[in-house]
Structures are given as C-alpha cells and as structure tokens.
Amino acid sequence: MLYNFDHIINRKNTNSIKWDKSIKLFGRDDLINMWVADMDFPCPEPVVEAIKERANDPVYGYSFPPKSLYEAIIERLARDYGWKIKKEWLVFTAGVVNGLYSAVGAFTNPGDEVIVQSPVYYPFFNAIRDNGCQVLHNHLAFDGERYTMDFNNLEQLFKPVTAFPVRMPRIKMLILCSPHNPVGRVWSKEELTALGEICIKNNCMLIADEVHCALLVGDVKHTVTSTISREFEQQTITFMSASKTFNLAGLATSFAVIPNEHWRNEFIRSRAGQNSGNSFGYIALEAAFRYGDEYLHQLLLYLRANVKFFTDYINNKIPRLKVIKPEGTYLAWVDLRSLGMNALELQHFMRSKARLALDDGYVFGSGGGGFQRFNLACPRIILQQALERLEQAVKE
Ligand SMILES: Cc1ncc(COP(=O)(O)O)c(C=O)c1O
C-alpha cells in the first residue's frame, strides 16, 4: 500500500497531547505544534486492521502478551541487529519512560548518582530525581557541528576527589539515549564500545533507551549496545518499542530486554503492582513488527526528504540559524544562539512571534540553552508553513 504522508490529518479535539494541550501549556491556540515526539501521520494499515479485528471480540479483560508477540520481537531483533535474544529476557512495560522509572527505582538507593549525557531527553532527569537520586551530567561535547561523547570526563566522574570539595562517587547507572534525542546522533559501534568499557570497568549499569533505533534518517547503522559482547549484554538493560517508529505511543506498550538473570528478577520484582498490560498494545506491536516494513520504508523516505527540506530552507533563507542535522530520530536540533536571546526571550519569541510550539532547548539540560527542538514528522506543507513563520519572525 502507498501511504500519503502529505495528507493533513486534523488532530485537534482528539485528546492529542501535542495538539490539544498547547493552549494550556503554550498559552495560545494559533501555534503550529512541533513539540511532543509523535507523528502527525497514520500508523501502518496492518496495525489498524489487527486492532479492528481484536476490537470485534468485545471482551477486553486482563490479558498477557501472546507467544506470537515474543516470537515477532525475537525474529526482528535477530534480523535487524543480529541480536539473538531469549524469550525469558523480555519484560513488557507500559512505555519506555515507565520502564526507566522502574529501572532507576529497582537498582538505586536514595542519594545514588545516575549519569546522563545532556542535552538529553528530559524525562531521564525526572526518572532519576523522582526516585530520590542525583543526576550526574557527562555533557556531550559539541564542536558547533556535531555532538560526541566525552569519555575523559566520564572516566573522571568515577574517581573519588580527595581535595576540597571532596566527592565520593555513588554512581549506579548510566542512562544512554541511543539514537540520541534531541541531538540526533546515531552512536557508532566504536563510541558505544568505549562508553560500555568504562561502565563495565566501574561496575556501572547501562540502561540503554533505544526507542528510536529504527528511525535512521542519515547514512548510518544502528548498533544495539548489548550486541557488542556477552559482557555488554550482561551489563545492559535495553528498552525498545514500536511506539516511535510506527506511531503507537498512545497504546502505551514497550519492552525491556534483560539478559542478566539477577537484574531481570529484581526488575520484575520492582514492578509487582503494575497492570498486566494493554491488549491492543500487544496486538499493535506484533502487527507493526511483523507487517510494518513497507510502511517503515516509505516513512523513512518521507522523513529524510523532510530533514533535507528543513535543513535547506534554513541554510538558504535563515542562515543565522544552524540545523544540527539528525542521523536518527525525526527531531531536528536547531542552534539559535546567534539571535542573542536568553532562554525566556527565545521561548517568548517562538510562541509569540514565530507562533510555533517547540521544545525549548534548556529543558534538555545544560548545553541546551539557545537551542530549540523541532519535530519534523508532519506533512511537508505544515513544515513549510512553520519555516515561513520562523523566517518572518527572524526577519522582524
Ligand atoms: C529517547 C526517548 N525515550 C522514551 C520516549 C518515550 O517513550 P514512551 O512513550 O514509550 O514512554 C521518547 C519519546 O519521545 C524518547 O524520545
């Protein structure tokens, strides 16, 4: 089937967080909404069909993930990433963030430190702080064009400091964002290897959020961190889902892969009060993984063209701004520091002058100030309208 991603779907009055919360959060309703990371596109037809078929059976009682879903995940991870996992390694969660909260809760004590590589997806901070832990930043290095990991600084974080101010590290885990939201990096195998080796040496768990793993918009390959070696596999908990790739976030279904048996048991134990899951979510995840390839192929072509359109437009018509071109995700990270505004001025400018609802860079942690994150998963005509608004506002 040919998908028409140019088609505009009116998402207003559908209880869409992106489109129906903007008055409350941004204070006006004339904005183009390009913030929350879901897509303004329909999901794959096979998913819709599978849900309809399930809906025809009118009993929606408690359910568990079907055996065929486990098989679909196992087959997909082997096919796409060469990762041979066992059925018992899979634990389902009601979304990746839900799983991250559990992971931090299960493996830390209040006061422990958790490393993140900011600027990064801000719910990581909440998952850490809401569990009584401290966020420890290993800031990404940025040369004005590209972000990389700062391995020297990471090594230093693990070392006790005996001179004033004294610091005894209490690091339990590092939450890795791979591909990285918001800067769009798809980490190379070499980068992941260097990171993982430091974590293993320091007995630091790697919590790998790989939810954007299939959304590759550059000429890159995604390496699943756990596939680097058996040791990595034992040191890593991986979170994945179909929710970003196939636009199923509202079905709140995702999974963790936990090869380390001891950690898996701890993780499961910590989730004792969780609901058994969303039956439609299980059905949708399986249909997407089994029958979603044609959709994904077309989607990636469209997203890549959107990235190019967005980047070319800014380079040609608003050259004071700089697009950090994503290799992965459908999010563009834009450097607006040349406008010389502080965080609040930039926020006001985007809302009141450009009339765009975006994610302010500063919410992604230090290093994000002066940046804005644009969600490019929308029909191109909407993207064009947004760019015209931005161009006009910058001119004024
Ligand atoms: C890196 C990352 N992790 C997790 C999520 C959210 O996943 P979920 O809706 O499954 O909690 C997002 C959504 O934008 C994300 O970008």
Side-chain angles (χ1 to χ4, degrees):
M1 153 174 191
L2 195 61
Y3 292 92
N4 180 6
F5 297 117
D6 281 325
H7 176 65
I8 297 174
I9 298 174
N10 182 3
R11 297 185 64 194
K12 281 199 171 167
N13 303 317
T14 64
N15 295 331
S16 152
I17 290 190
K18 193 199 269 175
W19 287 92
D20 292 327
K21 287 273 185 194
S22 62
I23 298 185
K24 190 167 170 219
L25 296 173
F26 294 86
R28 41 198 299 166
D29 71 349
D30 61 344
L31 306 178
I32 297 180
N33 289 289
M34 304 176 78
W35 56 297
V36 175
D38 66 17
M39 305 195 279
D40 295 333
F41 302 141
C43 73
E45 185 63 19
V47 173
V48 177
E49 289 307 317
I51 288 180
K52 280 185 187 161
E53 197 184 317
R54 175 65 186 82
N56 283 337
D57 173 0
V59 181
Y60 307 136
Y62 296 115
S63 66
F64 56 86
K67 184 165 169 273
S68 53
L69 171 57
Y70 285 93
E71 287 162 2
I73 295 172
I74 291 168
E75 282 162 23
R76 199 168 182 90
L77 295 187
R79 187 197 74 177
D80 291 355
Y81 308 108
W83 193 16
K84 293 198 175 68
I85 66 160
K86 297 193 174 134
K87 177 174 181 276
E88 61 267 25
W89 296 358
L90 287 168
V91 183
F92 289 87
T93 59
V96 168
V97 172
N98 171 290
L100 291 174
Y101 265 77
S102 297
V104 179
F107 301 107
T108 61
N109 294 309
D112 284 344
E113 296 165 323
V114 178
I115 302 175
V116 295
Q117 306 198 95
S118 34
V120 75
Y121 180 58
Y122 45 87
F124 288 6
F125 307 138
N126 305 339
I128 297 165
R129 294 190 182 122
D130 291 350
N131 276 296
C133 295
Q134 302 179 58
V135 175
L136 200 56
H137 293 276
N138 182 47
H139 293 111
L140 295 176
F142 181 51
D143 65 3
E145 297 281 334
R146 189 174 162 81
Y147 286 86
T148 48
M149 297 188 197
D150 187 344
F151 301 116
N152 288 334
N153 186 63
L154 183 61
E155 297 255 26
Q156 290 308 317
L157 291 180
F158 288 102
K159 295 192 178 135
V161 180
T162 47
F164 186 78
V166 174
R167 176 175 173 267
M168 292 308 289
R170 287 184 58 178
I171 301 169
K172 281 284 169 63
M173 57 174 62
L174 181 149
I175 308 183
L176 168 71
C177 197
S178 177
H180 194 106
N181 171 5
V183 308
R185 275 300 316 278
V186 173
W187 304 114
S188 68
K189 186 171 179 186
E190 290 68 32
E191 288 171 305
L192 293 169
T193 304
L195 179 86
E197 281 173 353
I198 296 172
C199 289
I200 290 169
K201 192 170 75 188
N202 291 287
N203 196 21
C204 170
M205 294 176 81
L206 258 172
I207 307 295
D209 176 341
E210 304 198 15
V211 73
H212 293 279
C213 61
L215 289 166
L216 305 177
V217 292
D219 191 13
V220 285
K221 182 175 173 290
H222 177 80
T223 301
V224 170
T225 317
S226 260
T227 59
I228 290 172
S229 72
R230 287 276 171 240
E231 215 181 348
F232 273 61
E233 204 171 65
Q234 287 298 308
Q235 192 74 15
T236 307
I237 295 182
T238 308
F239 287 97
M240 290 180 169
S241 80
S243 65
K244 297 286 145 196
T245 318
F246 300 103
N247 212 22
L248 307 175
L251 294 172
T253 302
S254 60
F255 58 91
V257 189
I258 317 180
N260 182 313
E261 187 182 352
H262 174 64
W263 288 358
R264 188 167 64 245
N265 291 337
E266 278 297 299
F267 184 79
I268 292 170
R269 209 167 51 85
S270 76
R271 295 177 55 79
Q274 298 275 339
N275 182 275
S276 62
N278 178 336
S279 11
F280 288 99
Y282 295 142
I283 300 278
L285 171 55
E286 180 173 344
F289 271 18
R290 284 193 188 281
Y291 312 115
D293 285 342
E294 191 189 336
Y295 173 92
L296 180 56
H297 174 70
Q298 294 177 41
L299 174 73
L300 289 179
L301 290 177
Y302 195 86
L303 290 176
R304 283 173 194 166
N306 266 9
V307 171
K308 181 168 177 353
F309 180 79
F310 183 80
T311 310
D312 288 349
Y313 193 105
I314 292 196
N315 288 346
N316 294 329
K317 298 196 176 164
I318 331 175
R320 287 175 72 186
L321 312 189
K322 172 140 194 78
V323 182
I324 312 305
K325 220 172 159 182
E327 298 168 332
T329 80
Y330 45 69
L331 308 164
W333 184 239
V334 180
D335 185 350
L336 298 104
R337 288 175 299 173
S338 67
L339 299 183
M341 298 181 196
N342 68 30
L344 284 180
E345 287 165 345
L346 188 55
Q347 185 181 73
H348 179 75
F349 171 80
M350 281 303 171
R351 295 176 189 184
S352 304
K353 302 276 186 262
R355 285 173 295 123
L356 300 176
L358 307 172
D359 276 305
D360 291 311
Y362 72 87
V363 303
F364 297 89
S366 39
F371 289 74
Q372 295 278 313
R373 192 193 74 174
F374 291 69
N375 179 343
L376 306 186
C378 61
R380 198 153 309 134
I381 188 73
I382 303 286
L383 197 54
Q384 182 170 345
Q385 286 163 10
L387 285 161
E388 283 165 2
R389 287 185 180 192
L390 182 62
E391 183 188 2
Q392 189 61 30
V394 172
K395 263 192 198 145
E396 281 169 11

